[in-house]
């Protein structure tokens, strides 16, 4: 099929690369000139496993503006950003802008389905249809343009794998033509009829992608509901972890035990520094705003958001209790990205913790194998000392904090690092280290909920 993807961020680019791998003819548009320049040089603007090698051999040549030719495709996917506004609402201006452009540029007799992959408030797909129809009417053009909601559930760090082997594909279409076309687009994924790209193998036992067909408003709400639920689950575990600390219990033992109950499940139950990243917080707040517009208060979701902010504070208080005071202390933070295998520092717990430590008078050093540049750009206001190696970071530190679960942090020469430090405290906010080994290396070990 001929597909146009609008928006070449993590979602649009991963989708475009995956669809080309499946054999579709893909065109790509992003209004960011610098980004398009980077992509046209064969480079990627971010780290995401498996994408670079496919992109080096791509035939996709992104451009900076949508043209009528892009609307002669079978499907156009809108994957533009929907950042949070200061009041929590999702900023859908890029989605609506793309819709207007589609209506202004569609050639007479165009026959295309517009699917919205961006995370948008319920009702947006209907509004996009109205905006397109209004532009077409004004121009007197008789194009057949249908719309659908097709929310994206990929996780950064395994975006390509999630795209090719998804938990489910949600299609929210109000008319059958749009649904049929999306089913055809994803048929190779649904039936798993493609050769896995090198480095992104098909998971053992994975034979087909489940498809959920609903109405647009249900597809849109599904995306928000999924992220709000995940946020709530983690906030619940983190609050329980704080209680476990007081009781002398190990949260990992407790979550393993409750996870055996199939109604609870073992996944996404890891206590830590609080959730972060570009989606969970933004989407939870957008859901709260959507509910508020309808006169409803989603108190559980609100509590999850508030508990998450407290969790970051709690970590700093825990460290301060161990050190006596943060004032004058030198703290080394290991990891800046919100999780491993991505260089994304959006809503990063590490940067928040750094900010809280600086406010308490600590000197803060940070090391991350991949995200230092992005962190400096995200928070230029923070007087963080960025270091090139873990050795440099540890030199003269009073305490270390592990804030990202990078695999390399599990295998560090801890005894040597302890000797470089002034103090010996380590707060393992991701619970990735072994207490006994850390104590043998000379550390006073603190985990989360342990
Ligand atoms: N990043 C994730 O992990 C993830 C996962 C699932 C869903 N989502 C959702 O998918 C959407 C995209 O996310 P992302 O992380 O890829 O966003 P992003 O901000 O990284 O990228 C969006 C891109 O769209 C471009 N753009 C904006 N308006 C445009 C227009 N009118 N025409 C052409 N290009 C335009 C921007 O220049 C930018 O490069 C968001 O709604 C997000 O919430 C993101």
């Amino acid at each position: 099929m001929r597909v146009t993807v609008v928006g070449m961020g993590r979602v649009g680019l991963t989708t475009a690369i995956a669809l080309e791998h499946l054999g579709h003819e893909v065109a790509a548009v992003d209004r960011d000139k610098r980004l398009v320049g980077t992509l046209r040089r064969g480079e990627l603007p971010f780290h995401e496993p498996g994408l670079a090698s496919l992109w080096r051999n791509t035939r996709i040549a992104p451009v900076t503006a949508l043209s009528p030719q892009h609307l002669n495709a079978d499907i156009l996917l809108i994957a533009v950003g929907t950042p949070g506004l200061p009041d929590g609402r999702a900023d859908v201006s890029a989605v609506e802008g793309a819709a207007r452009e589609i209506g202004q540029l569609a050639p007479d007799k165009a026959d295309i389905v517009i699917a919205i992959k961006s995370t948008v408030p319920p009702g947006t797909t209907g509004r996009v249809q109205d905006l397109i129809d209004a532009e077409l009417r004004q121009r007197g053009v008789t194009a057949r343009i249908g719309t659908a909601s097709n929310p994206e559930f990929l996780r950064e760090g395994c975006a390509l794998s999630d795209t090719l082997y998804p938990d489910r594909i949600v299609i929210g279409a109000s008319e059958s033509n749009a649904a049929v076309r999306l089913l055809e687009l994803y048929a190779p994924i649904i039936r798993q009829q493609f050769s896995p790209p090198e480095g992104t193998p098909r998971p053992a036992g994975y034979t087909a992608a489940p498809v959920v067909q609903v109405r647009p408003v249900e597809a849109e709400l599904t995306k928000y509901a999924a992220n709000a639920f995940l946020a709530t689950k983690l906030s619940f575990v983190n609050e329980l972890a704080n209680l476990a600390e007081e009781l002398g219990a190990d949260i990992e033992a407790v979550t393993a035990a409750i996870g055996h109950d199939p109604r609870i499940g073992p996944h996404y139950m890891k206590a830590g520094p609080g959730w972060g990243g570009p989606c969970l917080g933004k989407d939870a707040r957008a859901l709260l705003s959507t509910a508020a517009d309808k006169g409803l208060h989603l108190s559980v979701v609100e509590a999850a958001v508030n508990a998450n902010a407290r969790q970051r504070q709690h970590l700093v208080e825990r460290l301060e209790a161990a050190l006596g005071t943060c004032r004058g202390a030198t703290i080394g933070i290991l990891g800046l990205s919100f999780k491993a295998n991505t260089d994304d520092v959006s809503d990063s717990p590490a940067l928040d913790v750094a900010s809280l430590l600086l406010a308490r008078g600590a000197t803060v050093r940070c090391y991350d194998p991949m995200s230092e540049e992005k962190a400096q750009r995200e928070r230029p206001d923070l007087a963080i000392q960025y270091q090139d190696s873990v050795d440099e970071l540890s030199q003269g530190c009073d305490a270390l904090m592990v804030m990202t679960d990078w695999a390399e942090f599990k295998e560090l020469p801890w005894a040597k690092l302890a000797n470089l430090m002034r103090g010996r405290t380590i707060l393992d906010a991701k619970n990735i280290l072994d207490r006994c080994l850390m104590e043998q290396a000379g550390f006073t070990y603190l985990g989360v909920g342990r």
Side-chain angles (χ1 to χ4, degrees):
M1 294 176 94
R2 286 164 310 153
V3 191
T4 298
V5 183
V6 179
M8 287 281 97
R10 289 179 194 257
V11 168
L13 187 58
T14 308
T15 305
I17 291 174
L19 292 176
E20 183 182 50
H21 181 76
L22 300 179
H24 295 302
E25 194 183 310
V26 181
V29 183
D30 196 295
R31 66 181 176 190
D32 182 338
K33 289 196 178 73
R34 240 179 72 178
L35 172 64
V36 168
T38 303
L39 292 172
R40 288 186 77 115
R41 286 195 301 276
E43 295 164 19
L44 294 182
F46 49 77
H47 171 76
E48 190 56 53
L51 291 188
S53 55
L54 290 176
W55 189 248
R56 271 194 294 276
N57 299 314
T58 188
R59 291 200 315 275
I60 304 171
V63 294
T64 51
L66 199 65
S67 71
Q69 206 190 333
H70 289 121
L71 298 164
N72 278 326
D74 301 297
I75 295 197
L76 182 147
L77 301 173
I78 296 183
V80 300
T82 49
L85 292 167
D87 67 357
R89 257 162 248 276
D91 178 356
V92 291
S93 57
V95 174
E96 294 183 353
R100 280 193 199 92
E101 274 186 68
I102 290 164
Q104 286 156 5
L105 293 170
D108 212 23
K109 309 273 184 298
D111 180 358
I112 188 168
V113 167
I114 312 299
I116 302 174
K117 287 202 90 55
S118 304
T119 303
V120 291
T124 304
T125 305
R127 173 145 175 77
V128 161
Q129 181 81 60
D130 292 345
L131 288 170
I132 294 172
D133 290 346
E135 296 289 347
L136 291 177
R137 257 197 317 278
Q138 205 178 345
R139 291 169 56 219
V141 165
T142 53
R144 184 178 181 213
I145 303 185
T147 49
S149 165
N150 174 217
E152 180 54 63
F153 298 94
L154 65 77
R155 295 162 298 169
E156 289 185 11
C158 47
L160 183 60
S161 183
D162 282 350
T163 303
L164 293 172
Y165 319 112
D167 294 329
R168 75 295 209 190
I169 292 173
V170 175
I171 296 176
S174 45
E175 43 111 15
S176 65
N177 177 49
V180 167
R181 242 185 249 185
L182 280 165
L183 288 170
E184 195 184 332
L185 179 75
Y186 292 124
I189 294 179
I190 295 167
R191 301 194 201 109
Q192 287 298 293
Q193 286 169 338
F194 64 90
S195 305
E198 218 180 290
T200 312
R202 181 171 287 127
Y206 188 93
T207 55
V211 177
V212 182
Q213 285 186 252
V214 290
R215 290 183 295 143
V217 69
E218 289 151 358
E220 293 160 336
L221 184 56
T222 297
K223 175 64 194 177
Y224 279 126
N227 274 356
F229 189 83
L230 292 172
T232 305
K233 198 170 179 185
L234 281 185
S235 282
F236 173 81
V237 171
N238 284 335
E239 284 204 321
L240 215 63
N242 301 343
L243 176 61
E245 281 162 17
E246 294 301 319
L247 298 173
D250 185 337
I251 189 66
E252 307 250 321
V254 176
T255 49
I258 62 173
H260 282 286
D261 183 333
R263 293 170 303 176
I264 296 172
H267 304 294
Y268 223 64
M269 297 270 277
K270 200 141 171 57
W275 38 267
C279 293
L280 286 196
K282 154 180 100 68
D283 294 347
R285 278 185 281 272
L287 180 60
L288 289 171
S289 302
T290 297
D293 286 346
K294 298 287 173 196
L296 291 172
H297 178 211
L298 299 188
S299 59
V300 174
V301 179
E302 188 177 74
V305 171
N306 293 338
N308 197 53
R310 277 199 305 275
Q311 186 66 6
R312 298 171 184 193
Q313 189 85 37
H314 170 76
L315 282 185
V316 172
E317 283 162 10
R318 192 134 189 260
L319 186 70
E320 182 145 58
L323 294 178
T325 178
C326 284
R327 186 155 299 284
T330 301
I331 315 292
I333 291 183
L334 285 151
L336 290 162
S337 53
F338 80 95
K339 65 174 179 176
N341 300 322
T342 179
D343 54 359
D344 197 337
V345 295
S346 323
D347 196 14
S348 154
L351 286 175
D352 253 9
V353 162
S355 163
L356 292 168
L357 289 169
L358 286 165
R360 286 171 187 242
T363 298
V364 177
R365 297 188 189 154
C366 290
Y367 167 78
D368 188 286
M370 219 168 254
S371 316
E372 292 192 3
E373 233 182 271
K374 287 206 159 78
Q376 287 177 51
R377 247 183 288 144
E378 177 90 4
R379 293 297 302 268
D381 56 309
L382 298 181
I384 292 172
Q385 299 173 5
Y386 291 95
Q387 309 293 319
D388 292 334
S389 69
V390 180
D391 280 16
E392 244 178 62
L393 177 91
S394 308
Q395 198 81 46
C397 270
D398 295 287
L400 295 177
M401 292 180 87
V402 178
M403 293 298 296
T404 309
D405 48 346
W406 285 108
E408 66 182 72
F409 294 164
K410 294 174 197 164
E411 309 289 338
L412 291 173
W414 290 110
K416 178 187 146 201
L417 297 177
N419 282 328
L420 293 174
M421 292 170 62
R422 183 162 68 190
R424 287 287 190 280
T425 302
I426 186 156
L427 200 169
D428 173 14
K430 298 297 283 188
N431 285 351
I432 57 172
L433 303 173
D434 183 283
R435 173 190 294 275
C436 290
L437 292 179
M438 295 311 290
E439 286 175 353
Q440 277 166 23
F443 282 99
T444 301
Y445 176 88
L446 302 169
V448 174
R450 294 166 124 184

